[in-house]
Amino acid sequence: MSTQTKITALIGFGTVGQGFYHYLTANNEDKKLATVVIKNASKSRIPDTLNFTTDVSEVYQNKEINTVVELISDDKEAFNIVKKALQQGKSVVSANKKMIAHHLEELVELEKQFGGKFLYEGAVAGSIPIIKIINEHYAFDEITEIRGILNGTSNYILTQLFDKEIGYDEALQQAQEAGFAEAEPSADVEGYDALYKSLILTAHAFGKFILPEKALHIGINNLKKSDLAFAKANHLKIKLVASIKNHNHKLTLSVLPTFVDENDNLFHVKNEYNAIEVVSNNIGSQFYKGKGAGKLPTGHVVFTDYKSLKEAKYTYRNIASGKRIKYEPNQNIWVYSDKITLLEKYLEEVVLINGSQGYGRLKIAYLIKAKELINIHHVSIIALSLADFADLRRNYLRKSAKSARK
Ligand SMILES: NC(=O)c1ccc[n+]([C@@H]2O[C@H](COP(=O)([O-])OP(=O)(O)OC[C@H]3O[C@@H](n4cnc5c(N)ncnc54)[C@H](OP(=O)(O)O)[C@@H]3O)[C@@H](O)[C@H]2O)c1
């Protein structure tokens, strides 16, 4: 690869594929593009002069193609393509977080075995080069915690909910009309997308490959106007927060709507922006913020991967130390809910506020088990830190005492 000229196949010519192509032409690299694989032959394309095909086998048969840029929306087909390309020793750039979160361990093995490189910065947090930051900037430090807003669609909807005081359905519809949410939004609003990204970061920062089925993700789709009102009354916001912590070699991971106060950097992240706080032993806390998606921001990171294929390679250096870290879904957390009593059998402790509304302490593993119940009954679940819990309880007791005095 190092002395060879790059001959490239681009698979997918949608939002990100066209963004990547923009940088390819802007940097006079388009002559290296041998073929563009798409699904629907009858769609009109700009430019229409590229070598479009619907037959991906042309990529495997053409031995001159040594680089594959995979940017399709079908994760199962993406896995087939990436796997075959790596098995042929081709280098691959991808942005498909769902496919990568499900198959990363196997793909890393194929990279090692057949010698093609595999880079995927575009899969996590849009324009923030967080995989590079973890691998290079933190190469001589130990990361203890990563928390962040990793899904722009959910953050856009939450921003509208707080700023315009509208309901969830209306905010989702507005996000769809503004192009920030897809017609089928479940991957974003149910927290899957943020989970996939969290799992990719977990592999790099903590050397652990955890499958999506084993981890907790609760989205913003069950939040009610009353939850927003409760947050506002207590000077808080709700953000969809991905949290990964390594404490004494015990790793906890969750994607949850979470109360944040104004001292928290995440409180101030608005609309489609993503943000990540990395905490490490020597550096302390650092905060990164940027556009989480879109044609040109994502196309740019994909093109940067493409340009760096010659010299860059993920080291996965934490896999050795990751063997000492145990994934711990039995960790307890505090959550707020409008119907906390529905989770009664899972709770270790409960503090009721009003009727079924209140706080509960329970294991992350139990929240994973309770997912179906939560969705059937549209139960709102919002995580809170111990400090926030103490503040909220104090506020509540103060208010109760005041109304009792009246
Ligand atoms: N959009 C973003 O901002 C963003 C950000 C980060 C990561 N990503 C990831 O980037 C990837 C592409 O996303 P996108 O937003 O660009 O999607 P998109 O706009 O829906 O475009 C998808 C492209 O994939 C092609 N395609 C779908 N199934 C195919 C198949 N089986 N074989 C060949 N081509 C197929 C489509 O072909 P036709 O044109 O013929 O329909 C289309 O060109 C996804 O993995 C996504 O998760 C997207």
Side-chain angles (χ1 to χ4, degrees), residues 4-247:
Q4 262 179 312
T5 309
K6 231 184 241 162
I7 309 286
T8 304
L10 171 57
I11 327 274
F13 203 64
T15 306
V16 187
Q18 289 173 42
F20 169 74
Y21 181 72
H22 165 87
Y23 293 102
L24 210 57
T25 47
N27 292 282
N28 295 319
E29 297 256 348
D30 46 330
K31 290 174 288 302
K32 295 174 184 168
L33 190 57
T35 186
V36 181
V37 183
I38 36 82
K39 189 173 182 185
N40 183 348
S42 60
K43 259 190 200 170
S44 64
R45 313 274 172 186
I46 301 172
D48 59 5
T49 47
L50 300 177
N51 187 16
F52 287 105
T53 176
T54 53
D55 182 7
V56 71
S57 69
E58 286 179 22
V59 176
Y60 314 129
Q61 281 153 18
N62 186 343
K63 300 287 176 259
E64 289 206 314
I65 292 177
N66 52 23
T67 308
V68 171
V69 179
E70 179 284 305
L71 298 169
I72 69 172
S73 42
D74 172 345
D75 61 293
K76 295 203 169 55
E77 183 57 12
F79 176 57
N80 292 335
I81 293 168
V82 172
K83 185 174 172 174
K84 273 199 192 129
L86 287 173
Q87 283 171 332
Q88 289 192 326
K90 298 182 196 297
S91 284
V92 177
V93 175
S94 173
N96 199 318
K97 51 250 168 169
K98 181 173 182 186
M99 182 275 288
I100 297 168
H102 281 93
H103 301 286
L104 185 55
E105 193 163 12
E106 181 179 349
L107 296 174
V108 172
E109 273 308 307
L110 292 177
E111 181 189 40
K112 215 189 285 173
Q113 197 179 342
F114 295 98
K117 305 251 187 93
F118 180 42
L119 301 180
Y120 43 84
E121 187 70 70
V124 187
S127 60
I128 309 171
I130 189 65
I131 299 179
K132 195 172 285 158
I133 290 170
I134 290 174
N135 286 329
E136 295 176 13
H137 184 66
Y138 290 94
F140 307 105
D141 201 355
E142 191 185 349
I143 294 174
T144 53
E145 182 174 354
I146 294 177
R147 62 193 285 277
I149 292 170
L150 298 178
N151 183 261
T153 302
S154 298
N155 202 48
Y156 181 85
I157 293 172
L158 287 172
T159 307
Q160 303 306 305
L161 288 176
F162 269 86
D163 289 358
K164 297 190 181 158
E165 303 199 346
I166 50 178
Y168 171 79
D169 290 337
E170 202 183 332
L172 172 62
Q173 196 188 335
Q174 285 187 10
Q176 285 166 327
E177 282 162 12
F180 289 115
E182 293 187 16
E184 208 302 88
S186 57
D188 292 318
V189 299
E190 292 179 21
Y192 288 97
D193 178 83
L195 176 67
Y196 300 145
K197 294 165 177 170
S198 308
L199 297 173
I200 296 171
L201 294 181
T202 301
H204 286 271
F206 302 105
K208 293 227 78 80
F209 296 104
I210 298 169
L211 287 171
E213 309 72 82
K214 307 257 184 225
L216 175 64
H217 67 93
I218 290 179
I220 62 166
N221 50 319
N222 289 327
L223 295 179
K224 323 273 180 343
K225 264 187 173 175
S226 59
D227 301 320
L228 279 287
F230 180 81
K232 275 195 169 177
N234 289 287
H235 312 290
L236 299 167
K237 279 187 185 171
I238 303 169
K239 294 287 180 187
L240 185 64
V241 177
S243 163
I244 319 158
K245 285 183 207 166
N246 174 20
H247 184 64

Side-chain angles (χ1 to χ4, degrees), residues 241-391:
V241 177
S243 163
I244 319 158
K245 285 183 207 166
N246 174 20
H247 184 64
N248 289 337
H249 302 300
K250 284 188 182 148
L251 187 100
T252 51
L253 191 155
S254 62
V255 171
L256 285 167
T258 303
F259 287 124
V260 290
D261 64 31
E262 64 178 349
N263 298 318
D264 189 325
N265 283 321
L266 299 182
F267 183 97
H268 307 281
V269 179
K270 286 191 151 198
N271 294 322
E272 76 275 27
Y273 275 82
N274 278 197
I276 303 172
E277 181 184 18
V278 180
V279 184
S280 66
N281 277 342
N282 299 327
I283 303 174
S285 162
Q286 291 204 121
F287 190 68
Y288 306 89
K289 182 179 153 195
K291 287 218 166 109
K295 176 177 166 178
L296 292 182
T298 312
H300 184 266
V301 270
V302 172
F303 185 69
T304 308
D305 272 355
Y306 173 78
K307 285 298 287 174
S308 64
L309 275 170
K310 212 161 138 183
E311 65 279 355
K313 188 173 192 302
Y314 299 146
T315 59
Y316 302 100
R317 67 179 190 292
N318 289 319
I319 289 180
S321 56
K323 293 206 169 77
R324 292 199 307 272
I325 298 175
K326 193 169 170 284
Y327 173 47
E328 186 48 277
N330 282 324
Q331 189 80 19
N332 269 305
I333 55 169
W334 275 101
V335 296
Y336 161 92
S337 173
D338 63 338
K339 296 176 193 146
I340 196 72
T341 47
L342 263 180
L343 301 180
E344 199 176 0
K345 69 173 176 179
Y346 299 112
L347 299 174
E348 314 243 337
E349 226 179 304
V350 61
V351 178
L352 290 177
I353 303 173
N354 190 7
S356 59
Q357 181 197 23
Y359 311 103
R361 187 167 67 86
L362 77 175
K363 290 183 171 46
I364 287 178
Y366 284 164
L367 265 180
I368 298 175
K369 272 194 193 161
K371 275 290 296 287
E372 211 182 316
L373 184 75
I374 288 169
N375 283 327
I376 289 173
H377 295 282
H378 301 289
V379 179
S380 70
I381 297 287
I382 307 165
L384 63 168
S385 68
L386 269 182
D388 285 340
F389 173 62
D391 281 352

